[in-house]
Amino acid sequence: GILDYDEEWIGHVSESNNNQKSPTSSGKINTDHPLSKLLPATPDDKFIDSRCMKHKRIPHLLRDLEYIFETSGTAVKLLKSWRTPSSVQPASSGLEAMNESITPSPSFSLQNGPTNSLATYNTPTAIDFSAVWARFLRLGQGIDLQKRKVSGGHVEYENDRWLGAYGMSLNLSGTGDALSESPFSNVTFNADEQSVEAFLESAKHANREAMGNLFAAFFREIKMWLYREGLQDSGALPNSEPGESEALQRSTLHVSVSQLDESSVNQISAATGVSVAESCDVACEVGVKILPESKLALLEAALLYERSKLSSIGYCSHGVVMGDWLKVPHSPLAGDGFSFHLPLHRALARSIRCYCSAVVPTQERVQSPDRWWRLPLLDDDDDFASSDVSVSGFIFKQDNLSALVRPTHKSANLRVMWSSGPDCSPPEAQLRRSRSRMMSNLLASTKVIHSLCDHPLRCIAAAQQIDHHMWARNGSSLGGMALNYGSVPLCRSLRDLDLTMVQLSACGFNVGLGSRRVFGLLTNRFSMDGYLCDPDRRVPGNSYVRPGWVKPPRMQDPEHAELLAESFFTTVCIIVSDLPPPPPSSLNDDSVLRHSLRRELLHALAVEPRSHSEAMAAASTAVSRRDESDSGTVGIDGGSSFRAVFTEVLQSIAQQRNQGSRASSGPPLFELKPDSSNEYDPSFYHLRRTEHQHAMDNIARLRKQKLAILSKGTNSDMVLPLVSEPPVCHPRFLPSRLLLHLPPMYAAIRRYLMYALFDGSWLPPPAPEPVKPADTDAIGADAMLTVSFPGSNTSMTARREAYHRATSSMSNVSSISSSAIADTPSFSPAVVAASSKSFLEVLHILTLQVHTLEECSNLQNTLPFLDHEQKTLSSRITINTYLSQLIEVPNSLVNVWALLCAPDGPLPSKGSGENRGSVLGLLIALYEHRDHGNDDGGRQKSANDDHGGARTLSADGLKWLLRFVNALVDGAESVDAARRSATTGIRIKATTKSITMTSINNETRDRIKAMLSNLPELWPGERDNASDLGSGVSEKSREARKAAQARALAEMKKKQASFAASISSQFNDDSEKKMSDDDEENLCIICKCDDDDGDNGPMGYLGHVQRSRVLQLASKSTHALHSE
């Protein structure tokens, strides 16, 4: 019925074809039955302006489909693949018989079958519904292409066609959600609990088959979209501006024989009789047009090399094939086009999330620990790594995805130029076709796997750029697109599903790129190549190359690099934190719903207090459409509904706010309890940046109250980590957290910590250099320069004429002339203390590394099916390697002046000051000179002193992290013990039974202990000792200071009383004077409001407005004149 619904739309699509002889050019489809022919592919998105879209005819069709899918059992019957005569149909199970009484199975080819109200068609060649639905989604794939204006003025005219594109995407998403959720809905059959448990196994197999067919249809359609098939054959590709269309699918294949072993190359060369080419660099946007046989042999040798490695590893998934060879250049920031509309990718993501939410009994998890969490078709076993050998000497067995896209193979996808010419015998021709088709399918499957992560990631990166006003020339309409893309509630159907696809790809297995490749793709799509990596030095090879630092790529605005880096780290935090939850263990299990509601509601209340209805609206973002309704029950016995679960969660994390004397007539408000403040996530993706700023101010206050309660009024030094442990996730998505422990991640963290330490410089500042002797005579030999470092007894004394400023870190031109003299070094502790660059996102990554350390190190044991690269990465994660990564200093940062400890460098340290170019060394430098400087009189004013909740959380999180590392090297029994020690402030006492004492290298332990020794205020009880050692202040001097403070406070109170009395003398009536006679010391002298509970104070409110004394006397004189 989809094709017959709107002939005008189909007519527009057909008339766009250049081939006028097409049977569909008239707009009428009479020769083929609608059930036996797919929709034609669209060459452009002009159908957005058609009548069927403007008059909402397509949305009405999609609403009708939603109602059909809502009927119990209908979606499963449509998606199951048995459309065969009754003689070969499988026997109906008990569950299918039950659902058959509700919804008869649609019959498309049975002429003499049983009476069925839906058996209205006699079409032997009927297409499966999954293929029809995937083709329909393809019509909205990649529409409304956007390109950033990199030059010229602002856009002069903004059209609103993007609203139509968004409307179509949301309508397709709503119908697709109904199709995906229907097989796994809680109310899919009318039966008692015993009957449901009896048929649960049958339902699982039926749903698995239905989802497998849907996954296959999505993969095939994505492949045809990437190759633009259906357009080239019909001549429907537009002739104008082909670059815009090709930018979405552009890809290049790069293989070199140096990457392979000699055995694989010799084996392929002997089997084919062709010498293997040295390299293969071909563009393959829509297919490899001409590929010489020597390059085909090189690709086959590379495949043989990959297979030989897999066969030696044992049981595991094979990962993406040719993943390191396929390159897809794309940069929206540089002007490449992208589209916010990816209905095929998002429908696949929604289907995967729905399948992962299906009930999995505990017994099944115990019996099949390695299989219950797998996805149908995508995680099936294959024999790709088998070592079978054919008569010709080699044979390659295709993986599941290559076999899946094989029916879509066309000769245009790969054309080979055979070295022996086109003429050949029939057996040789068959072998040629087999080799060509095998390589074409393998290349197509690799492009599909790359697309699963790449295209959603382009939308995420572009939306972040638009939010930071980097697309200002494109006008405000693009800002509206990004706002709807990343804000609730529409983000549930757009951005959230894109994140799911990136998470799926980061997990690896058979259909994912793996954490290493996803990290590289993230760096590239956020334009961070050359920024979030260790800096390199230029090696002078000739007189034209000056030694120095290699500058990062230049951006249009220098601030863009910082904003993109923050977005990069925030996106990584979201990817590893907000993963799909684990499935429930029974139909009555509502733990997943409770956890989702709790996380969503907690962050909504962290921003501001909300009423009951506002809180429910915010929490509804975390649940599906069925759970939102009161009738959607969690259990088959009518268990807790969404409203009941919400009420329980609200009472557990929130309390009704006391309105006090300022209570209004509005509804009561609920605010977050201090006990739940530790669960706040600074990167929670359903809050905007401005909302997070308000939330961090509130969370800092609530955490302070919580610690005061836990310490029971004592002066305890308990601190909380910046972020708590990430939520428990589905085992299928757990390997995506390996992103946190990649070696390139440590390099990115190290580079951004240097950026924060150097106050916004991506390269280390230069060291002061001695001037030429000729310049010293003009200044005088007796001039001396003394440089003292605040917070330390260390000083540098040198002749004033001995130093001048060196060249700038970002330029080869000297910043000061040769005759100029620098009074102080260009980089000093004062620069660090005054730095306003935040490293909150990096500290978030480091804290998540701590929380996931044990979890990621056991992945190779808990998930044996994990691909070999992810297994290798997991096996290398230990406490010793974690600490070694923290203190690793790259070769380019060894003996850099800015990273040396005083007196050799600019920054002193209470510890050893070693390895300052490492992650831990940079954290210690920021701790000492910015976030937790000395409390003596010589302390520099820090930028942390004048900031709100963000800096407070960052300072406490940094102290917690340093305590954790210190507890590990002190001999904590486990990672959990070290985390408890960091929170409570109770130091670890080493024992012989400690696990970390034996697993940590002695040299690493001693190095870290020296770096962390004597840090001020790191542990309770060390504050006074550190202050006395550092500043030489005695107990007598400290008491004298306290007495001086008490005298100053008494003098201020005396002046305050005098000022209040002077104001009281100006009042006319007794009622005003009565207000000034209040002798309570805790009342504000202006507004007379107490602030004991923190709610009634004048902060943030306009309390009382009072005239000054001059205006008051002037008013009296004016009144007297009028009276006369």
Side-chain angles (χ1 to χ4, degrees):
I2 293 180
L3 291 184
D4 287 343
Y5 193 84
D6 193 278
E7 296 179 353
E8 179 265 336
W9 186 12
I10 304 304
H12 164 73
V13 173
S14 302
E15 290 171 2
S16 299
N17 297 341
N18 295 329
N19 186 2
Q20 300 298 330
K21 297 182 180 180
S22 175
T24 62
S25 60
S26 62
K28 304 281 186 178
I29 306 178
N30 299 322
T31 58
D32 298 304
H33 197 278
L35 290 175
S36 61
K37 187 174 180 60
L38 292 171
L39 279 170
T42 55
D44 49 45
D45 56 2
K46 293 182 180 179
F47 61 85
I48 298 177
D49 303 323
S50 61
R51 288 180 297 172
C52 65
M53 295 296 299
K54 290 186 176 181
H55 298 288
K56 300 185 182 302
R57 297 164 68 181
I58 293 299
H60 287 306
L61 165 65
L62 296 175
R63 295 290 81 77
D64 293 341
L65 283 176
E66 284 190 41
Y67 297 142
I68 295 174
F69 298 153
E70 293 289 341
T71 308
S72 299
T74 303
V76 177
K77 293 179 182 300
L78 288 173
L79 295 177
K80 287 186 68 173
S81 59
W82 45 277
R83 295 276 188 264
T84 55
S86 57
S87 58
V88 296
Q89 283 190 9
S92 298
S93 63
L95 178 62
E96 292 168 354
M98 184 193 310
N99 285 333
E100 186 71 22
S101 62
I102 303 173
T103 306
S105 300
S107 176
F108 301 109
S109 58
L110 302 180
Q111 300 180 7
N112 301 320
T115 303
N116 192 324
S117 59
L118 297 182
T120 56
Y121 300 106
N122 180 16
T123 311
T125 59
I127 306 174
D128 285 341
F129 177 80
S130 56
V132 176
W133 175 245
R135 173 57 60 89
F136 188 65
L137 292 178
R138 182 184 169 188
L139 297 177
Q141 186 83 357
I143 61 176
D144 196 26
L145 200 67
Q146 301 295 329
K147 293 183 64 176
R148 179 174 180 262
K149 294 188 66 176
V150 296
S151 61
H154 292 260
V155 62
E156 297 180 0
Y157 173 75
E158 297 186 25
N159 55 45
D160 58 351
R161 72 190 310 268
W162 69 273
L163 296 173
Y166 261 78
M168 181 178 181
S169 290
L170 294 174
N171 287 319
L172 292 174
S173 176
T175 308
D177 292 351
L179 177 64
S180 300
E181 293 176 3
S182 182
F184 308 101
S185 60
N186 298 319
V187 187
T188 52
F189 22 72
N190 299 328
D192 55 11
E193 187 174 358
Q194 273 189 339
S195 301
V196 170
E197 291 181 356
F199 298 135
L200 190 59
E201 187 70 17
S202 177
K204 182 186 69 174
H205 289 296
N207 293 340
R208 186 176 183 87
E209 180 186 353
M211 286 294 104
N213 294 334
L214 193 59
F215 293 164
F218 288 152
F219 271 87
R220 293 192 187 102
E221 206 63 42
I222 290 176
K223 184 262 180 182
M224 289 187 284
W225 174 68
L226 290 174
Y227 282 82
R228 294 181 291 172
E229 291 173 355
L231 302 179
Q232 290 180 319
D233 297 340
S234 60
L237 277 176
N239 296 325
S240 60
E241 299 184 1
E244 294 187 3
S245 179
E246 293 178 359
L248 294 176
Q249 295 90 359
R250 183 172 50 197
S251 56
T252 312
L253 195 63
H254 301 272
V255 184
S256 176
V257 71
S258 60
Q259 302 172 343
L260 314 178
D261 61 341
E262 187 176 357
S263 174
S264 301
V265 175
N266 294 337
Q267 185 176 352
I268 293 296
S269 179
T272 60
V274 178
S275 59
V276 177
E278 293 294 330
S279 63
C280 178
D281 301 316
V282 292
C284 48
E285 288 86 356
V286 295
V288 181
K289 296 301 181 183
I290 299 178
L291 185 69
E293 188 178 2
S294 59
K295 293 186 177 182
L296 177 64
L298 175 61
L299 297 180
E300 292 171 339
L303 288 179
L304 185 61
Y305 172 67
E306 291 290 334
R307 192 185 66 179
S308 61
K309 292 194 303 182
L310 290 173
S311 59
S312 61
I313 294 174
Y315 175 72
C316 66
S317 54
H318 53 73
V320 59
V321 184
M322 304 172 68
D324 293 327
W325 311 333
L326 188 69
K327 308 297 180 182
V328 185
H330 191 274
S331 176
L333 195 63
D336 289 337
F338 85 101
S339 173
F340 273 121
H341 308 285
L342 303 170
L344 283 173
H345 291 74
R346 290 164 188 159
L348 177 61
R350 176 65 68 186
S351 302
I352 291 175
R353 292 187 70 99
C354 291
Y355 185 84
C356 292
S357 64
V359 175
V360 180
T362 305
Q363 183 179 2
E364 182 181 352
R365 304 186 190 195
V366 175
Q367 294 176 352
S368 304
D370 188 36
R371 291 189 175 274
W372 68 265
W373 47 266
R374 294 194 194 182
L375 297 174
L377 184 68
L378 307 184
D379 294 335
D380 290 347
D381 295 321
D382 55 35
D383 53 356
F384 173 77
S386 61
S387 57
D388 295 341
V389 179
S390 65
V391 179
S392 59
F394 69 95
I395 186 172
F396 297 104
K397 293 189 175 181
Q398 298 186 22
D399 60 301
N400 289 334
L401 190 54
S402 298
L404 185 65
V405 300
R406 186 180 181 90
T408 65
H409 172 79
K410 293 188 176 182
S411 58
N413 296 152
L414 181 64
R415 298 178 180 176
V416 180
M417 183 188 304
W418 303 102
S419 57
S420 59
D423 298 333
C424 60
S425 61
E428 186 178 356
Q430 184 178 1
L431 179 60
R432 288 182 176 184
R433 285 193 300 269
S434 177
R435 294 174 60 189
S436 173
R437 179 166 294 187
M438 181 272 301
M439 189 56 60
S440 176
N441 297 334
L442 197 58
L443 178 60
S445 64
T446 306
K447 291 184 64 173
V448 171
I449 293 176
H450 192 278
S451 169
L452 296 182
C453 176
D454 187 17
H455 285 85
L457 189 56
R458 296 178 189 180
C459 298
I460 296 172
Q464 296 278 0
Q465 297 167 8
I466 297 170
D467 286 340
H468 290 300
H469 309 288
M470 299 181 189
W471 291 53
R473 287 192 176 95
N474 290 69
S476 59
S477 61
L478 204 61
M481 299 181 201
L483 181 65
N484 287 278
Y485 174 79
S487 302
V488 291
L490 299 184
C491 66
R492 296 173 56 185
S493 302
L494 301 171
R495 193 269 317 273
D496 294 1
L497 298 180
D498 288 345
L499 287 170
T500 301
M501 294 308 300
V502 178
Q503 293 164 347
L504 176 73
S505 184
C507 293
F509 295 104
N510 291 336
V511 293
L513 294 177
S515 56
R516 177 178 61 86
R517 299 182 186 90
V518 169
F519 181 86
L521 201 58
L522 275 165
T523 306
N524 181 265
R525 296 303 182 253
F526 278 90
S527 302
M528 285 287 99
D529 290 328
Y531 284 92
L532 296 182
C533 59
D534 291 323
D536 294 329
R537 288 179 178 270
R538 286 192 300 267
V539 179
N542 50 56
S543 59
Y544 298 100
V545 179
R546 289 187 177 184
W549 298 103
V550 177
K551 302 177 187 178
R554 183 177 180 181
M555 290 192 174
Q556 189 174 5
D557 191 330
E559 295 182 356
H560 288 177
E562 178 183 352
L563 297 175
L564 290 173
E566 292 178 357
S567 301
F568 170 85
F569 288 115
T570 302
T571 303
V572 173
C573 293
I574 295 173
I575 290 173
V576 301
S577 298
D578 293 281
L579 296 167
S585 58
S586 64
L587 294 174
N588 297 325
D589 184 9
D590 60 353
S591 59
V592 177
L593 176 62
R594 291 179 182 273
H595 292 162
S596 301
L597 283 177
R598 181 183 181 91
R599 183 169 174 83
E600 197 74 39
L601 185 57
L602 183 143
H603 288 86
L605 295 176
V607 179
E608 60 181 357
R610 297 174 184 262
S611 63
H612 190 277
S613 59
E614 292 173 344
M616 178 172 287
S620 63
T621 309
V623 297
S624 62
R625 298 181 305 171
R626 290 182 177 273
D627 292 330
E628 293 178 8
S629 61
D630 293 337
S631 60
T633 58
V634 177
I636 202 67
D637 57 347
S640 302
S641 64
F642 163 68
R643 186 177 294 272
V645 173
F646 166 79
T647 303
E648 295 177 7
V649 172
L650 181 63
Q651 293 176 354
S652 64
I653 66 173
Q655 58 189 2
Q656 189 169 341
R657 183 174 184 178
N658 185 12
Q659 299 291 337
S661 59
R662 299 181 182 181
S664 60
S665 59
L669 300 178
F670 293 88
E671 61 181 1
L672 190 64
K673 292 181 180 179
D675 294 340
S676 305
S677 59
N678 61 304
E679 300 178 32
Y680 169 74
D681 187 349
S683 67
F684 185 65
Y685 63 144
H686 284 164
L687 296 183
R688 306 286 296 177
R689 282 195 307 160
T690 55
E691 293 175 331
H692 271 298
Q693 293 173 0
H694 294 294
M696 283 188 281
D697 292 339
N698 297 329
I699 290 298
R701 174 177 56 84
L702 293 175
R703 287 187 178 182
K704 184 177 180 181
Q705 296 177 8
K706 178 178 181 178
L707 294 178
I709 296 174
L710 293 176
S711 60
K712 299 180 181 180
T714 61
N715 188 17
S716 177
D717 207 0
M718 298 178 62
V719 292
L720 294 174
L722 177 63
V723 62
S724 60
E725 297 183 33
V728 181
C729 69
H730 196 281
R732 177 60 176 78
F733 288 85
L734 193 58
S736 62
R737 289 177 177 166
L738 290 173
L739 274 171
L740 297 170
H741 302 277
L742 290 169
M745 178 62 75
Y746 286 95
I749 293 173
R750 190 161 45 238
R751 186 67 177 272
Y752 197 80
L753 288 176
M754 286 194 296
Y755 177 81
L757 183 69
F758 300 148
D759 193 20
S761 175
W762 290 100
L763 298 175
E769 298 178 356
V771 298
K772 298 179 180 180
D775 296 335
T776 59
D777 297 336
I779 301 174
D782 296 331
M784 302 293 292
L785 171 66
T786 301
V787 181
S788 61
F789 297 99
S792 173
N793 296 329
T794 307
S795 62
M796 296 177 59
T797 304
R799 294 186 180 274
R800 181 179 298 273
E801 74 277 8
Y803 293 96
H804 72 83
R805 183 164 303 190
T807 57
S808 172
S809 62
M810 297 295 291
S811 174
N812 291 329
V813 182
S814 178
S815 57
I816 298 181
S817 62
S818 59
S819 61
I821 303 299
D823 294 337
T824 59
S826 59
F827 180 64
S828 64
V831 176
V832 181
S835 174
S836 61
K837 303 301 180 183
S838 171
F839 59 98
L840 180 73
E841 295 80 8
V842 171
L843 189 61
H844 192 170
I845 294 285
L846 291 168
T847 309
L848 289 175
Q849 286 180 343
V850 173
H851 293 319
T852 60
L853 189 60
E854 292 181 327
E855 183 181 57
C856 292
S857 63
N858 294 325
L859 282 179
Q860 76 274 9
N861 300 322
T862 57
L863 299 176
F865 190 64
L866 198 63
D867 63 274
H868 64 96
E869 186 175 355
Q870 300 282 78
K871 274 187 176 181
T872 303
L873 178 60
S874 175
S875 62
R876 293 176 180 174
I877 300 176
T878 61
I879 295 178
N880 187 65
T881 55
Y882 167 71
L883 296 176
S884 300
Q885 291 277 15
L886 288 182
I887 64 173
E888 179 184 358
V889 180
N891 296 330
S892 60
L893 297 179
V894 176
N895 295 328
V896 174
W897 173 79
L899 298 176
L900 295 177
C901 186
D904 299 327
L907 302 181
S909 177
K910 296 294 181 63
S912 64
E914 300 176 335
N915 293 55
R916 181 161 287 169
S918 64
V919 173
L920 183 60
L922 293 168
L923 290 174
I924 293 174
L926 289 168
Y927 176 86
E928 287 188 291
H929 299 283
R930 197 172 98 168
D931 287 336
H932 290 80
N934 295 335
D935 286 336
D936 55 8
R939 178 190 174 187
Q940 290 285 337
K941 180 175 177 60
S942 171
N944 187 33
D945 298 337
D946 299 328
H947 288 72
R951 281 297 181 89
T952 302
L953 297 180
S954 177
D956 291 343
L958 178 57
K959 178 185 285 189
W960 183 91
L961 182 63
L962 294 179
R963 283 184 179 181
F964 169 79
V965 176
N966 203 347
L968 284 180
V969 297
D970 282 347
E973 295 182 358
S974 63
V975 174
D976 289 337
R979 288 189 294 190
R980 289 193 300 269
S981 174
T983 303
T984 60
I986 302 176
R987 297 201 67 169
I988 294 292
K989 295 182 180 179
T991 61
T992 55
K993 297 181 180 180
S994 173
I995 299 177
T996 58
M997 291 295 291
T998 57
S999 60
I1000 301 176
N1001 182 270
N1002 292 331
E1003 182 180 356
T1004 302
R1005 183 191 304 111
D1006 296 339
R1007 181 67 58 88
I1008 294 178
K1009 282 186 175 182
M1011 295 170 65
L1012 294 172
S1013 62
N1014 300 324
L1015 290 187
E1017 305 180 23
L1018 183 59
W1019 295 97
E1022 297 182 353
R1023 178 180 306 175
D1024 296 338
N1025 297 334
S1027 300
D1028 294 343
L1029 292 174
S1031 59
V1033 179
S1034 62
E1035 186 68 25
K1036 183 177 180 180
S1037 300
R1038 189 177 293 104
E1039 293 179 355
R1041 290 182 179 181
K1042 292 182 178 180
Q1045 291 177 356
R1047 290 193 300 271
L1049 290 175
E1051 185 68 21
M1052 289 297 298
K1053 289 183 179 180
K1054 183 178 179 181
K1055 292 182 179 180
Q1056 177 182 1
S1058 176
F1059 176 69
S1062 64
I1063 295 179
S1064 176
S1065 63
Q1066 304 298 330
F1067 294 146
N1068 295 326
D1069 52 2
D1070 295 337
S1071 61
E1072 294 181 352
K1073 187 174 182 179
K1074 184 178 180 181
M1075 295 176 59
S1076 65
D1077 292 336
D1078 196 346
D1079 294 330
E1080 295 182 8
E1081 296 182 357
N1082 295 329
L1083 293 183
C1084 177
I1085 64 174
I1086 295 180
C1087 64
K1088 299 298 180 181
C1089 293
D1090 60 67
D1091 195 24
D1092 292 338
D1093 55 357
D1095 294 331
N1096 299 326
M1099 183 63 67
Y1101 300 93
L1102 182 61
H1104 301 277
V1105 180
Q1106 180 178 342
R1107 295 175 297 177
S1108 65
R1109 298 183 62 186
V1110 175
L1111 292 178
Q1112 189 176 12
L1113 295 175
S1115 177
K1116 287 184 177 181
S1117 61
T1118 305
H1119 181 70
L1121 290 176
H1122 286 296
S1123 299
E1124 294 177 357

